[in-house]
Amino acid sequence: MSRIFNFSAGPATLPLPVLEQVQAELLDWHGSGMGVMEMSHRDKEFTSIAQACERDLREVLGVPANYKVLFLQGGATAQFSVVPQNLLRGKTSADYIVTGDWGKKAFKEMGRYGRANLAATSEAEKFTTIPDRASWKLDPDAAFVHITSNETIHGVEFPDAPEVCGVPLVSDMSSSFASRPIDVGQYGLIYAGAQKNVGPSGITIVIVRDDLIGQVLPGTFAIHDYKVVAENDSMLNTPPTFAWYVCGLVFQWMKNEGGLAAIGERNARKAALLYDYLDAQDFYRNPVAKPYRSKMNVPFVLANAELDAEFLKGSKAAGLIGLKGHRSVGGMRASIYNAMPEAGVAALVDYMKEFVRTKG
Amino acid sequence: MSRIFNFSAGPATLPLPVLEQVQAELLDWHGSGMGVMEMSHRDKEFTSIAQACERDLREVLGVPANYKVLFLQGGATAQFSVVPQNLLRGKTSADYIVTGDWGKKAFKEMGRYGRANLAATSEAEKFTTIPDRASWKLDPDAAFVHITSNETIHGVEFPDAPEVCGVPLVSDMSSSFASRPIDVGQYGLIYAGAQKNVGPSGITIVIVRDDLIGQVLPGTFAIHDYKVVAENDSMLNTPPTFAWYVCGLVFQWMKNEGGLAAIGERNARKAALLYDYLDAQDFYRNPVAKPYRSKMNVPFVLANAELDAEFLKGSKAAGLIGLKGHRSVGGMRASIYNAMPEAGVAALVDYMKEFVRTKG
């Protein structure tokens, strides 16, 4: 077996020790005589797995006791609707800071439930920056302020949680979730599809402050009512048990790796290695304003786009896959999530250098 | 490793050859250098897996060309709402035949979208039968007629698709999906959570006649609009890729086993073995009317309920697990889905006999 370096934006590479443990336990989990996929979600074997996952997630992220952790289905796309359904709470509008295509989609969905206020956008700059905080037109009566912590397509990331004057801050953290230490207490709600940093696709994690839940809009499905889901330990109906289990193993791996402090430092080193090279020559270019460059998704273009196909063909031959940029921005994108080792980024930079040497 | 016989109602036992293949491919699928969990859903490796799954499902079930096959999230519970959102098509009511708790839940959800007509129910008989077809009060103007082909808790199964006078027939087939040959053309829509007969939890299969889609109610999420999902090959947003892959392996296994004809015959033999024993003595009893007994979920009670705990303890020690009945009906339940071997049912009957011999 030969493992490649997989730079896909998600579903994405997973830690090898996690995959090895999944493999070892697949037919017989801890001597139970069955695999996790086959366990009733109501039995003590699976509930112990589910509870351990939540406990480790809370420890790794430092989730305060007054926050609920929910395990849902439907991805961030479902949450674009479910968040307003839960968080409007009698209010009529919400503020959106749009810094890329995902934020734009979230903003559009909000319009179905109330007034979506475009408090700031960097669309005029082709989503290569984050609008200066002083320019945001926030409404003090907004139900919440929505940001996308990291825009997967454009490679733009908030360096910190912005100050929003006491209005609950909601973040789509799908592609930067659990990639570095954060202060969960600065957010009203965090949501994330698991398939970037924490597990397979098909499970969505929501972390929400408990005073914000319990006032859903009429017409909200029970399985989308955060309070009902919380009261049922995310098992109102059959949850995606296997995905939940894999997430649990990833949180255990994060603890073994030294937690988010160590993981965040490693991610910063990986990003620096790639951005430093991108800035040191003229053949490749990353268009994002330096303070807002993503540590997770690094888009770059070749000076000569006619070489794109050759670059991709050669990278695949070199064991580096998933580098094609999103069709909306073109060029390349290297997604360097938690599970991408430093050796993978080094191999990518080596390949890029060699490509310049022979084709530049 | 010692595998037990797992009679859980779902998530449930999976075919051993499928689990072994998942295990073998977990770190490196077909020499790709990555596991299926790590693949981008947009790349050709995963799209080939997804397409093969649909092709094999269509072959195994004999799905006509004018039906769409969709792979969704949220389980049957989500479909209780999503079906009316899609299938009302300008009409104002739908007919429900309620033969157990799941049908009752579906009926209740329908009331949020229009008039839910309780055309027939066996609740007065504690859901131990199916109301005689002649007694059903169907409305010729109903948008659809909803049945639950197999009630997982009560162990009541429709032997055939009922005649409903040209109104589209909708069936929640979660716990009997792909358990025997059916004529898909008799249904307008079939939906099923995968976690009984076809895969892990976290993926839901919908088979729908294509003239019924494209007229959703206002407020329906795009990811719940069957037409939009169909147009995007069930990849409007990131699908549950790994669950989809496992379902594909299960459909391949079904083909290798001789298809639904052979699987249906085996399921009939398994059910007969258990029901014949239940009817041949007085210590255990199944309460369901014989023509409507489920071939998938066999509930039974002990003549002396005080022995329940001892029965369960002993069964577990004998390597037979998941036999506790649903709390709403008590007693025991043996779920004997496709992947439960005949030897498992034989072992259960042997245990039941031995228990009578020592405790009866």
Side-chain angles (χ1 to χ4, degrees), chain A residues 2-4 6 11 14 19 23 26-27 33 38 44 73-74 112-113 201 219-221 237 239 241-242 316, chain B residues 2-4 6 14 19 23 26-27 33 38-39 44 73-74 112-113 201 219-221 237 239 241-242 316:
Chain A
S2 166
R3 296 262 303 166
I4 42 78
N6 174 5
L14 287 166
L19 291 173
Q23 185 175 46
L26 203 88
L27 277 66
E38 307 173 289
K44 70 176 193 312
Q73 296 186 57
R112 297 156 56 120
Y113 303 97
S201 61
T220 303
F221 294 7
N237 63 336
T241 52
F242 189 76
K316 190 161 183 185
Chain B
S2 165
R3 297 260 305 167
I4 41 79
N6 175 5
L14 286 167
L19 292 173
Q23 185 175 46
L26 203 88
L27 278 66
E38 307 174 288
M39 291 178 183
K44 71 176 192 313
Q73 296 186 56
R112 297 155 57 120
Y113 303 97
S201 61
T220 303
F221 295 6
N237 63 337
T241 51
F242 189 76
K316 190 164 184 183

Side-chain angles (χ1 to χ4, degrees), chain A residues 315-346:
Chain A
S315 63
K316 190 161 183 185
L320 312 167
I321 70 137
L323 286 165
K324 191 174 183 181
H326 192 273
R327 60 188 180 281
S328 65
V329 294
M332 308 296 150
R333 172 176 52 179
S335 296
I336 51 176
Y337 299 122
N338 289 354
M340 172 59 65
E342 296 187 73
V345 181

Side-chain angles (χ1 to χ4, degrees), chain A residues 1-4 6 8 10-14 16 19-20 22-28 32-35 37-41 43-45 73-75 77-78 81-82 85 112-113 195 200-203 219-224 237-242 246 316 321-322, chain B residues 1-4 6 8 10-14 16 19-20 22-28 32-35 37-41 43-45 73-75 77-78 81-82 85 112-113 195 200-203 219-224 237-242 246 316 321-322:
Chain A
M1 186 203 65
S2 166
R3 296 262 303 166
I4 42 78
N6 174 5
S8 291
T13 193
L14 287 166
L16 190 58
L19 291 173
E20 287 170 341
V22 170
Q23 185 175 46
E25 298 176 345
L26 203 88
L27 277 66
D28 184 12
S32 65
M34 59 185 159
M37 264 186 274
E38 307 173 289
M39 291 178 181
S40 168
H41 56 297
D43 280 356
K44 70 176 193 312
E45 288 86 358
Q73 296 186 57
T77 301
S81 302
V82 175
Q85 287 183 323
R112 297 156 56 120
Y113 303 97
Q195 69 272 16
S201 61
I203 190 161
T220 303
F221 294 7
I223 55 173
H224 293 159
N237 63 336
T238 313
T241 52
F242 189 76
V246 177
K316 190 161 183 185
I321 70 137
Chain B
M1 186 204 66
S2 165
R3 297 260 305 167
I4 41 79
N6 175 5
S8 290
T13 193
L14 286 167
L16 190 58
L19 292 173
E20 287 170 340
V22 171
Q23 185 175 46
E25 299 176 345
L26 203 88
L27 278 66
D28 184 13
S32 65
M34 59 185 160
M37 264 186 272
E38 307 174 288
M39 291 178 183
S40 167
H41 56 297
D43 280 355
K44 71 176 192 313
E45 288 85 358
Q73 296 186 56
T77 301
S81 302
V82 175
Q85 287 183 324
R112 297 155 57 120
Y113 303 97
Q195 69 273 14
S201 61
I203 190 162
T220 303
F221 295 6
I223 56 172
H224 292 159
N237 63 337
T238 313
T241 51
F242 189 76
V246 178
K316 190 164 184 183
I321 71 137

